mmCIF file of all heavy atoms in Angstrom:
data_model
loop_
_atom_site.group_PDB
_atom_site.id
_atom_site.type_symbol
_atom_site.label_atom_id
_atom_site.label_comp_id
_atom_site.label_asym_id
_atom_site.label_seq_id
_atom_site.Cartn_x
_atom_site.Cartn_y
_atom_site.Cartn_z
ATOM 1 N N LEU H 203 -106.804 56.482 -53.527
ATOM 2 C CA LEU H 203 -106.804 57.588 -52.580
ATOM 3 C C LEU H 203 -106.373 58.843 -53.334
ATOM 4 O O LEU H 203 -105.184 59.046 -53.594
ATOM 5 C CB LEU H 203 -105.858 57.290 -51.412
ATOM 6 C CG LEU H 203 -105.738 58.350 -50.340
ATOM 7 C CD1 LEU H 203 -107.083 58.572 -49.656
ATOM 8 C CD2 LEU H 203 -104.698 57.938 -49.314
ATOM 9 N N PHE H 215 -105.945 65.167 -55.753
ATOM 10 C CA PHE H 215 -104.847 64.806 -56.633
ATOM 11 C C PHE H 215 -105.424 64.047 -57.828
ATOM 12 O O PHE H 215 -106.462 63.407 -57.719
ATOM 13 C CB PHE H 215 -103.829 63.920 -55.896
ATOM 14 C CG PHE H 215 -103.176 64.603 -54.726
ATOM 15 C CD1 PHE H 215 -103.737 64.542 -53.462
ATOM 16 C CD2 PHE H 215 -102.002 65.308 -54.894
ATOM 17 C CE1 PHE H 215 -103.149 65.166 -52.378
ATOM 18 C CE2 PHE H 215 -101.398 65.937 -53.819
ATOM 19 C CZ PHE H 215 -101.968 65.871 -52.563
ATOM 20 N N ARG H 216 -104.730 64.102 -58.954
ATOM 21 C CA ARG H 216 -105.221 63.423 -60.158
ATOM 22 C C ARG H 216 -104.934 61.926 -60.154
ATOM 23 O O ARG H 216 -105.558 61.172 -60.878
ATOM 24 C CB ARG H 216 -104.610 64.068 -61.406
ATOM 25 C CG ARG H 216 -105.200 65.432 -61.699
ATOM 26 C CD ARG H 216 -104.682 66.010 -63.000
ATOM 27 N NE ARG H 216 -103.249 66.169 -63.005
ATOM 28 C CZ ARG H 216 -102.588 67.146 -62.408
ATOM 29 N NH1 ARG H 216 -103.244 68.049 -61.727
ATOM 30 N NH2 ARG H 216 -101.289 67.216 -62.478
ATOM 31 N N GLU H 217 -103.976 61.495 -59.369
ATOM 32 C CA GLU H 217 -103.607 60.077 -59.296
ATOM 33 C C GLU H 217 -103.678 59.606 -57.844
ATOM 34 O O GLU H 217 -103.731 60.417 -56.925
ATOM 35 C CB GLU H 217 -102.186 59.857 -59.846
ATOM 36 C CG GLU H 217 -102.028 60.151 -61.320
ATOM 37 C CD GLU H 217 -102.759 59.166 -62.221
ATOM 38 O OE1 GLU H 217 -103.002 58.022 -61.787
ATOM 39 O OE2 GLU H 217 -103.096 59.548 -63.344
ATOM 40 N N ASP H 218 -103.623 58.310 -57.656
ATOM 41 C CA ASP H 218 -103.649 57.700 -56.332
ATOM 42 C C ASP H 218 -102.369 58.070 -55.576
ATOM 43 O O ASP H 218 -101.260 57.823 -56.063
ATOM 44 C CB ASP H 218 -103.774 56.179 -56.471
ATOM 45 C CG ASP H 218 -104.002 55.471 -55.149
ATOM 46 O OD1 ASP H 218 -103.903 56.116 -54.079
ATOM 47 O OD2 ASP H 218 -104.279 54.263 -55.179
ATOM 48 N N ILE H 219 -102.536 58.639 -54.410
ATOM 49 C CA ILE H 219 -101.390 59.083 -53.609
ATOM 50 C C ILE H 219 -100.495 57.902 -53.238
ATOM 51 O O ILE H 219 -99.277 58.025 -53.194
ATOM 52 C CB ILE H 219 -101.882 59.810 -52.339
ATOM 53 C CG1 ILE H 219 -102.656 61.066 -52.729
ATOM 54 C CG2 ILE H 219 -100.731 60.157 -51.422
ATOM 55 C CD1 ILE H 219 -103.398 61.713 -51.587
ATOM 56 N N ARG H 220 -101.104 56.731 -53.015
ATOM 57 C CA ARG H 220 -100.312 55.566 -52.615
ATOM 58 C C ARG H 220 -99.374 55.105 -53.724
ATOM 59 O O ARG H 220 -98.328 54.533 -53.459
ATOM 60 C CB ARG H 220 -101.230 54.430 -52.187
ATOM 61 C CG ARG H 220 -101.942 54.728 -50.879
ATOM 62 C CD ARG H 220 -102.857 53.601 -50.539
ATOM 63 N NE ARG H 220 -103.999 53.620 -51.442
ATOM 64 C CZ ARG H 220 -105.260 53.540 -51.068
ATOM 65 N NH1 ARG H 220 -105.544 53.401 -49.806
ATOM 66 N NH2 ARG H 220 -106.231 53.570 -51.934
ATOM 67 N N LEU H 221 -99.726 55.341 -54.987
ATOM 68 C CA LEU H 221 -98.857 54.944 -56.097
ATOM 69 C C LEU H 221 -97.582 55.782 -56.144
ATOM 70 O O LEU H 221 -96.575 55.359 -56.703
ATOM 71 C CB LEU H 221 -99.597 55.057 -57.428
ATOM 72 C CG LEU H 221 -100.776 54.114 -57.637
ATOM 73 C CD1 LEU H 221 -101.459 54.410 -58.971
ATOM 74 C CD2 LEU H 221 -100.335 52.669 -57.566
ATOM 75 N N ALA H 222 -97.618 56.965 -55.557
ATOM 76 C CA ALA H 222 -96.446 57.848 -55.557
ATOM 77 C C ALA H 222 -95.331 57.319 -54.665
ATOM 78 O O ALA H 222 -94.194 57.781 -54.758
ATOM 79 C CB ALA H 222 -96.848 59.256 -55.116
ATOM 80 N N ARG H 223 -95.626 56.339 -53.810
ATOM 81 C CA ARG H 223 -94.584 55.770 -52.948
ATOM 82 C C ARG H 223 -93.444 55.166 -53.759
ATOM 83 O O ARG H 223 -92.321 55.085 -53.285
ATOM 84 C CB ARG H 223 -95.170 54.679 -52.052
ATOM 85 C CG ARG H 223 -96.045 55.188 -50.955
ATOM 86 C CD ARG H 223 -96.455 54.056 -50.069
ATOM 87 N NE ARG H 223 -97.388 53.199 -50.799
ATOM 88 C CZ ARG H 223 -98.321 52.465 -50.247
ATOM 89 N NH1 ARG H 223 -98.437 52.442 -48.955
ATOM 90 N NH2 ARG H 223 -99.137 51.737 -50.980
ATOM 91 N N ASN H 224 -93.746 54.724 -54.976
ATOM 92 C CA ASN H 224 -92.746 54.038 -55.792
ATOM 93 C C ASN H 224 -91.804 54.989 -56.528
ATOM 94 O O ASN H 224 -90.856 54.538 -57.165
ATOM 95 C CB ASN H 224 -93.446 53.132 -56.806
ATOM 96 C CG ASN H 224 -94.311 52.097 -56.128
ATOM 97 O OD1 ASN H 224 -94.007 51.648 -55.029
ATOM 98 N ND2 ASN H 224 -95.396 51.729 -56.769
ATOM 99 N N VAL H 225 -92.052 56.284 -56.479
ATOM 100 C CA VAL H 225 -91.195 57.256 -57.168
ATOM 101 C C VAL H 225 -89.886 57.402 -56.398
ATOM 102 O O VAL H 225 -89.871 57.562 -55.173
ATOM 103 C CB VAL H 225 -91.916 58.616 -57.309
ATOM 104 C CG1 VAL H 225 -90.995 59.661 -57.910
ATOM 105 C CG2 VAL H 225 -93.177 58.461 -58.148
ATOM 106 N N THR H 226 -88.781 57.373 -57.123
ATOM 107 C CA THR H 226 -87.449 57.463 -56.522
ATOM 108 C C THR H 226 -87.156 58.900 -56.096
ATOM 109 O O THR H 226 -87.478 59.843 -56.807
ATOM 110 C CB THR H 226 -86.390 57.006 -57.543
ATOM 111 O OG1 THR H 226 -86.779 55.743 -58.067
ATOM 112 C CG2 THR H 226 -85.038 56.882 -56.892
ATOM 113 N N VAL H 227 -86.508 59.042 -54.944
ATOM 114 C CA VAL H 227 -86.144 60.354 -54.402
ATOM 115 C C VAL H 227 -84.640 60.380 -54.170
ATOM 116 O O VAL H 227 -84.082 59.478 -53.557
ATOM 117 C CB VAL H 227 -86.880 60.636 -53.073
ATOM 118 C CG1 VAL H 227 -86.473 61.977 -52.506
ATOM 119 C CG2 VAL H 227 -88.383 60.573 -53.266
ATOM 120 N N GLU H 231 -85.662 61.926 -48.692
ATOM 121 C CA GLU H 231 -86.854 62.737 -48.412
ATOM 122 C C GLU H 231 -86.593 63.795 -47.345
ATOM 123 O O GLU H 231 -87.129 64.898 -47.409
ATOM 124 C CB GLU H 231 -88.014 61.836 -47.987
ATOM 125 C CG GLU H 231 -88.506 60.931 -49.089
ATOM 126 C CD GLU H 231 -89.694 60.082 -48.681
ATOM 127 O OE1 GLU H 231 -90.306 60.349 -47.622
ATOM 128 O OE2 GLU H 231 -90.017 59.147 -49.437
ATOM 129 N N GLU H 266 -100.618 73.077 -59.485
ATOM 130 C CA GLU H 266 -100.870 72.167 -58.364
ATOM 131 C C GLU H 266 -99.861 72.390 -57.241
ATOM 132 O O GLU H 266 -100.231 72.462 -56.066
ATOM 133 C CB GLU H 266 -100.814 70.719 -58.844
ATOM 134 C CG GLU H 266 -101.153 69.726 -57.764
ATOM 135 C CD GLU H 266 -101.228 68.294 -58.262
ATOM 136 O OE1 GLU H 266 -100.931 68.032 -59.434
ATOM 137 O OE2 GLU H 266 -101.581 67.441 -57.445
ATOM 138 N N THR H 315 -88.254 58.791 -63.911
ATOM 139 C CA THR H 315 -89.315 59.336 -63.062
ATOM 140 C C THR H 315 -88.735 59.453 -61.666
ATOM 141 O O THR H 315 -88.420 58.444 -61.036
ATOM 142 C CB THR H 315 -90.543 58.406 -63.068
ATOM 143 O OG1 THR H 315 -91.020 58.296 -64.406
ATOM 144 C CG2 THR H 315 -91.644 58.947 -62.178
ATOM 145 N N SER H 316 -88.563 60.692 -61.214
ATOM 146 C CA SER H 316 -87.926 60.878 -59.906
ATOM 147 C C SER H 316 -88.170 62.281 -59.384
ATOM 148 O O SER H 316 -88.645 63.172 -60.093
ATOM 149 C CB SER H 316 -86.412 60.644 -60.011
ATOM 150 O OG SER H 316 -85.825 61.630 -60.824
ATOM 151 N N VAL H 317 -87.814 62.459 -58.113
ATOM 152 C CA VAL H 317 -87.732 63.769 -57.478
ATOM 153 C C VAL H 317 -86.294 63.860 -56.987
ATOM 154 O O VAL H 317 -85.860 63.073 -56.159
ATOM 155 C CB VAL H 317 -88.729 63.894 -56.302
ATOM 156 C CG1 VAL H 317 -88.581 65.243 -55.624
ATOM 157 C CG2 VAL H 317 -90.149 63.672 -56.769
ATOM 158 N N LYS H 332 -98.657 60.309 -66.589
ATOM 159 C CA LYS H 332 -99.052 59.701 -65.314
ATOM 160 C C LYS H 332 -97.868 59.677 -64.353
ATOM 161 O O LYS H 332 -98.027 60.000 -63.177
ATOM 162 C CB LYS H 332 -99.582 58.287 -65.539
ATOM 163 C CG LYS H 332 -100.007 57.617 -64.252
ATOM 164 C CD LYS H 332 -100.595 56.252 -64.481
ATOM 165 C CE LYS H 332 -101.000 55.637 -63.153
ATOM 166 N NZ LYS H 332 -101.731 54.398 -63.290
ATOM 167 N N GLU H 333 -96.692 59.314 -64.844
ATOM 168 C CA GLU H 333 -95.518 59.269 -63.974
ATOM 169 C C GLU H 333 -95.099 60.660 -63.513
ATOM 170 O O GLU H 333 -94.618 60.827 -62.393
ATOM 171 C CB GLU H 333 -94.374 58.551 -64.676
ATOM 172 C CG GLU H 333 -94.616 57.060 -64.827
ATOM 173 C CD GLU H 333 -93.480 56.331 -65.520
ATOM 174 O OE1 GLU H 333 -92.451 56.955 -65.838
ATOM 175 O OE2 GLU H 333 -93.641 55.114 -65.744
ATOM 176 N N LEU H 334 -95.288 61.673 -64.358
ATOM 177 C CA LEU H 334 -95.002 63.046 -63.951
ATOM 178 C C LEU H 334 -95.968 63.468 -62.845
ATOM 179 O O LEU H 334 -95.571 64.111 -61.871
ATOM 180 C CB LEU H 334 -95.086 64.005 -65.137
ATOM 181 C CG LEU H 334 -94.744 65.466 -64.831
ATOM 182 C CD1 LEU H 334 -93.331 65.601 -64.297
ATOM 183 C CD2 LEU H 334 -94.936 66.323 -66.079
ATOM 184 N N ASP H 335 -97.245 63.094 -62.979
ATOM 185 C CA ASP H 335 -98.216 63.358 -61.910
ATOM 186 C C ASP H 335 -97.791 62.675 -60.619
ATOM 187 O O ASP H 335 -97.860 63.280 -59.541
ATOM 188 C CB ASP H 335 -99.603 62.842 -62.309
ATOM 189 C CG ASP H 335 -100.422 63.871 -63.057
ATOM 190 O OD1 ASP H 335 -100.078 65.063 -63.000
ATOM 191 O OD2 ASP H 335 -101.412 63.474 -63.697
ATOM 192 N N LEU H 336 -97.362 61.432 -60.716
ATOM 193 C CA LEU H 336 -96.938 60.702 -59.519
ATOM 194 C C LEU H 336 -95.703 61.327 -58.883
ATOM 195 O O LEU H 336 -95.599 61.405 -57.656
ATOM 196 C CB LEU H 336 -96.688 59.232 -59.851
ATOM 197 C CG LEU H 336 -97.941 58.420 -60.204
ATOM 198 C CD1 LEU H 336 -97.553 57.017 -60.658
ATOM 199 C CD2 LEU H 336 -98.901 58.358 -59.041
ATOM 200 N N ALA H 337 -94.767 61.785 -59.707
ATOM 201 C CA ALA H 337 -93.572 62.448 -59.165
ATOM 202 C C ALA H 337 -93.954 63.762 -58.471
ATOM 203 O O ALA H 337 -93.408 64.097 -57.410
ATOM 204 C CB ALA H 337 -92.557 62.701 -60.277
ATOM 205 N N THR H 338 -94.898 64.491 -59.060
ATOM 206 C CA THR H 338 -95.365 65.734 -58.438
ATOM 207 C C THR H 338 -96.058 65.432 -57.112
ATOM 208 O O THR H 338 -95.843 66.129 -56.120
ATOM 209 C CB THR H 338 -96.330 66.480 -59.387
ATOM 210 O OG1 THR H 338 -95.660 66.733 -60.615
ATOM 211 C CG2 THR H 338 -96.780 67.796 -58.790
ATOM 212 N N ILE H 339 -96.864 64.388 -57.087
ATOM 213 C CA ILE H 339 -97.530 63.995 -55.846
ATOM 214 C C ILE H 339 -96.493 63.594 -54.801
ATOM 215 O O ILE H 339 -96.606 63.960 -53.626
ATOM 216 C CB ILE H 339 -98.530 62.855 -56.102
ATOM 217 C CG1 ILE H 339 -99.717 63.364 -56.920
ATOM 218 C CG2 ILE H 339 -99.018 62.236 -54.800
ATOM 219 C CD1 ILE H 339 -100.629 62.280 -57.440
ATOM 220 N N LYS H 340 -95.480 62.853 -55.219
ATOM 221 C CA LYS H 340 -94.416 62.448 -54.285
ATOM 222 C C LYS H 340 -93.748 63.681 -53.679
ATOM 223 O O LYS H 340 -93.501 63.741 -52.468
ATOM 224 C CB LYS H 340 -93.383 61.576 -55.012
ATOM 225 C CG LYS H 340 -92.247 61.108 -54.141
ATOM 226 C CD LYS H 340 -92.716 60.122 -53.105
ATOM 227 C CE LYS H 340 -91.542 59.497 -52.380
ATOM 228 N NZ LYS H 340 -91.941 58.403 -51.534
ATOM 229 N N PHE H 341 -93.466 64.679 -54.510
ATOM 230 C CA PHE H 341 -92.877 65.918 -54.017
ATOM 231 C C PHE H 341 -93.807 66.583 -52.998
ATOM 232 O O PHE H 341 -93.364 67.024 -51.934
ATOM 233 C CB PHE H 341 -92.570 66.879 -55.172
ATOM 234 C CG PHE H 341 -92.207 68.249 -54.716
ATOM 235 C CD1 PHE H 341 -90.976 68.495 -54.140
ATOM 236 C CD2 PHE H 341 -93.101 69.299 -54.830
ATOM 237 C CE1 PHE H 341 -90.633 69.760 -53.682
ATOM 238 C CE2 PHE H 341 -92.779 70.566 -54.394
ATOM 239 C CZ PHE H 341 -91.543 70.808 -53.814
ATOM 240 N N MET H 342 -95.105 66.649 -53.316
ATOM 241 C CA MET H 342 -96.074 67.269 -52.404
ATOM 242 C C MET H 342 -96.157 66.499 -51.088
ATOM 243 O O MET H 342 -96.225 67.101 -50.015
ATOM 244 C CB MET H 342 -97.471 67.295 -53.039
ATOM 245 C CG MET H 342 -97.609 68.211 -54.213
ATOM 246 S SD MET H 342 -97.649 69.932 -53.692
ATOM 247 C CE MET H 342 -95.976 70.366 -53.985
ATOM 248 N N VAL H 343 -96.158 65.184 -51.168
ATOM 249 C CA VAL H 343 -96.213 64.353 -49.953
ATOM 250 C C VAL H 343 -95.010 64.645 -49.069
ATOM 251 O O VAL H 343 -95.146 64.768 -47.841
ATOM 252 C CB VAL H 343 -96.277 62.851 -50.341
ATOM 253 C CG1 VAL H 343 -95.972 61.959 -49.160
ATOM 254 C CG2 VAL H 343 -97.638 62.510 -50.928
ATOM 255 N N ILE H 344 -93.854 64.793 -49.677
ATOM 256 C CA ILE H 344 -92.637 65.085 -48.900
ATOM 257 C C ILE H 344 -92.689 66.498 -48.313
ATOM 258 O O ILE H 344 -92.475 66.696 -47.122
ATOM 259 C CB ILE H 344 -91.377 64.932 -49.784
ATOM 260 C CG1 ILE H 344 -91.197 63.474 -50.215
ATOM 261 C CG2 ILE H 344 -90.138 65.431 -49.058
ATOM 262 C CD1 ILE H 344 -90.171 63.284 -51.312
ATOM 263 N N ILE H 348 -97.119 64.660 -45.563
ATOM 264 C CA ILE H 348 -98.316 63.797 -45.550
ATOM 265 C C ILE H 348 -97.893 62.375 -45.257
ATOM 266 O O ILE H 348 -96.981 61.861 -45.838
ATOM 267 C CB ILE H 348 -99.063 63.884 -46.905
ATOM 268 C CG1 ILE H 348 -99.539 65.300 -47.146
ATOM 269 C CG2 ILE H 348 -100.221 62.903 -46.936
ATOM 270 C CD1 ILE H 348 -100.139 65.542 -48.506
#
Side-chain angles (χ1 to χ4, degrees):
L203 180 62
F215 298 89
R216 287 185 300 282
E217 295 292 336
D218 188 351
I219 297 169
R220 291 178 288 229
L221 294 177
R223 288 185 290 208
N224 301 329
V225 175
T226 309
V227 179
E231 293 182 13
E266 184 175 5
T315 300
S316 65
V317 178
K332 180 177 180 173
E333 290 180 4
L334 182 60
D335 271 343
L336 291 174
T338 303
I339 291 169
K340 180 68 171 189
F341 169 73
M342 292 286 98
V343 165
I344 295 168
I348 298 173

